[in-house]
Amino acid sequence: EADIYQTPRYLVIGTGKKITLECSQTMGHDKMYWYQQDPGMELHLIHYSYGVNSTEKGDLSSESTVSRIRTEHFPLTLESARPSHTSQYLCASSLGSSGGAEQFFGPGTRLTVL
Amino acid sequence: GQQVMQIPQYQHVQEGEDFTTYCNSSTTLSNIQWYKQRPGGHPVFLIQLVKSGEVKKQKRLTFQFGEAKKNSSLHITATQTTDVGTYFCAGPTEEYGNKLVFGAGTILRVKS
């Protein structure tokens, strides 16, 4: 089993709150990703990082931000949560020289914004 | 836009029946990967195919990569209730800087 962790697993918060979703991996992978997924739907890449101090926006526009200060840590922050942010957020990591390598996913954070 | 298309979107089969999901890319892929996501779970890597025409088997699952490296299929023989979930294909595309692009997934339900 891949060693990639996400906390919290479930989060219910009110509109306007600032939240940070944590993601850590112990595999030493350079590449990390954040996906947003609604129940039963496809995965949407919202952020990715190919190494420390490197972050890029993904294919789906998102109001969230990320940081990559340490290799193993890739937190995602929402400055002001809204009901439209309700979704599952999946973190993943991969090894390899390109972005096309096998990805290991964390268990996800299910976010509900009231 | 979506570079990796997957069909069908949803399939409901009787236990013991076979199941196939298809994946098509508009561009040549250097590899194709398949993932399974159980209901309420997260995607888990199943396999990667690299060579043109490659066929790999995992017990009742058979994976194929097309000759042109633009399409792939996953076939499950004699489905079981444990096969329930969403199956995603994914491939790196040059248009997206060789990042993995996931298909929309095929949801498989199995009636016992």
Side-chain angles (χ1 to χ4, degrees), chain B residues 12-89:
Chain B
H12 200 167
V13 300
Q14 191 71 39
E15 189 174 20
E17 291 181 341
D18 292 356
F19 160 77
T20 305
T21 173
Y22 299 92
C23 185
N24 293 286
S25 169
S26 54
T27 58
T28 301
L29 301 171
S30 58
N31 72 71
I32 191 84
Q33 299 171 24
W34 286 92
Y35 293 77
K36 177 183 178 181
Q37 184 176 23
R38 295 183 186 275
H42 58 277
V44 174
F45 174 81
L46 292 176
I47 206 161
Q48 176 176 281
L49 304 170
V50 179
K51 299 177 184 175
S52 168
E54 189 171 11
V55 178
K56 286 188 176 180
K57 292 192 175 187
Q58 288 180 350
K59 297 182 180 178
R60 295 178 294 104
L61 276 61
T62 302
F63 304 84
Q64 286 189 301
F65 200 10
E67 294 290 341
K69 301 183 74 173
K70 287 186 175 183
N71 55 72
S72 181
S73 64
L74 158 58
H75 180 83
I76 303 178
T77 303
T79 55
Q80 299 176 358
T81 54
T82 53
D83 295 325
V84 162
T86 302
Y87 293 85
F88 293 96
C89 63

Side-chain angles (χ1 to χ4, degrees), chain A residues 1 35 37 40-43 45 48 50 59 88 90 99-103 105-107 110, chain B residues 2 31 33 35 37 40-43 45 48 88 92 96-100 102-104 107:
Chain A
E1 194 72 19
Y35 292 88
Q37 184 186 36
M41 301 297 284
E42 59 194 289
L43 297 159
L45 181 67
Y48 64 97
Y50 280 1
D59 309 321
Q88 174 166 250
L90 290 159
E102 167 194 351
Q103 293 189 8
F105 284 82
R110 292 190 183 276
Chain B
Q2 184 83 12
N31 72 71
Q33 299 171 24
Y35 293 77
Q37 184 176 23
H42 58 277
F45 174 81
Q48 176 176 281
F88 293 96
Y96 292 97
N98 282 318
K99 295 194 303 298
L100 269 188
F102 282 82
I107 299 172

